[in-house]
Structures are given as structure tokens and as C-alpha cells.
Amino acid sequence: MGFKLEVVTPDRAFFSDEVDMVILRGIDGDFAVLKDRAPFITPLSIGQIRIKKDNKEMVAAMSGGYVSVTKEKTTVVTDSAEWPEEIDVERAEEAKKRAEKRLNGNKEGIDLLRAELALRRAANRLEVAKKYKD
């Protein structure tokens, strides 16, 4: 028996089930949560959430947030999470192009951090869609 994992976004309860392991991207790199992990809370970066259950892996794109690990359950709160089949590749490609144009063009008057984050989110979504879509 694993542990309870819940992934929530402002729009929906993205995932809720017993799992064996979850791998997340923290601000200092990837880390895994297993059953009976010591409790902690930490921020998450833009990246993938990899959920392992019954020798199967599910992967989704995630836009950062935070994770709370307690004895009872692990909760991930994020602005957005998408399974590979939910990702609109065309829209992600357009977002990537817009962000690259902002970063490579006249930087006067643009929010560089916002453009860099938009580029990272789009690149992450594209990677998940292309690598894991059926």
C-alpha cells in the first residue's frame, strides 16, 4: 500500500489516488516522495510531475506551486497541471514563439521574468506532450 496523493489546481482536482511514489521538480532539483517520508512543505518549479503506481508511470506538465507532505497524505497545489493528451501543442508552440520574440527583441518595457517564465512553461508543456502523448 502506498500513500494518498492529491494534485489540485484553481480549476479542478487534477489527481487523487493512492500511489507508490511521486517525483516533483523543486526549486533545487527533482525529488521523490515515498510512503512514510518525513513531513515537509516546499515550493515547486515549472516541470513534470511523475506519478508511479502499480509499476506504471503517469506524467503531467505542471507550472510550479508547492507540495505539502504529511503523515496522512501528499498535496500538490499548482496553478496548472495537464496530462499529455490535454496539451494543445499548437497553442504551446505559439506561446513559446511569443516568449522567444519578447526575449530576443527590444527588451525595453517588457517584463523579462514574466517572458522567461512563459517560455519555460511552454517548453515544458511541449516536452511532455511530445514525449508522453500516446
Side-chain angles (χ1 to χ4, degrees):
M1 192 59 122
F3 62 94
K4 176 76 171 185
L5 172 66
E6 290 184 351
V7 180
V8 295
T9 73
D11 300 331
R12 63 181 171 157
F14 179 74
F15 181 87
S16 181
D17 203 356
E18 291 281 323
V19 301
D20 299 319
M21 178 186 343
V22 62
I23 301 169
L24 300 159
R25 169 96 14 108
I27 57 172
D28 293 323
D30 291 354
F31 64 92
V33 177
L34 299 163
K35 184 178 180 186
D36 297 327
R37 173 89 186 237
F40 70 97
I41 296 175
T42 192
L44 299 172
S45 288
I46 296 166
Q48 299 173 7
I49 179 169
R50 295 171 39 210
I51 301 166
K52 298 191 178 198
K53 178 181 176 170
D54 300 329
N55 294 320
K56 292 181 182 163
E57 182 177 67
M58 298 170 275
V59 179
M62 185 177 77
S63 66
Y66 75 89
V67 62
S68 169
V69 178
T70 66
K71 197 173 186 180
E72 293 77 36
K73 69 180 175 180
T74 295
T75 305
V76 175
V77 177
T78 180
D79 286 336
S80 69
E82 295 172 283
W83 299 114
E85 61 274 8
E86 295 175 333
I87 296 171
D88 183 337
V89 174
E90 200 171 290
R91 190 170 143 246
E93 289 279 6
E94 287 300 316
K96 183 179 179 216
K97 286 177 190 170
R98 278 193 312 273
E100 288 172 336
K101 185 177 178 183
R102 280 190 213 117
L103 290 170
N104 293 328
N106 180 355
K107 292 182 175 55
E108 192 174 313
I110 72 159
D111 184 340
L112 287 178
L113 179 60
R114 187 171 164 214
E116 287 170 1
L117 289 172
L119 179 59
R120 287 180 50 208
R121 281 190 303 272
N124 182 54
R125 293 176 72 229
L126 288 168
E127 180 183 345
V128 168
K130 291 176 179 176
K131 193 171 180 181
Y132 298 101
K133 214 175 225 181
D134 292 334

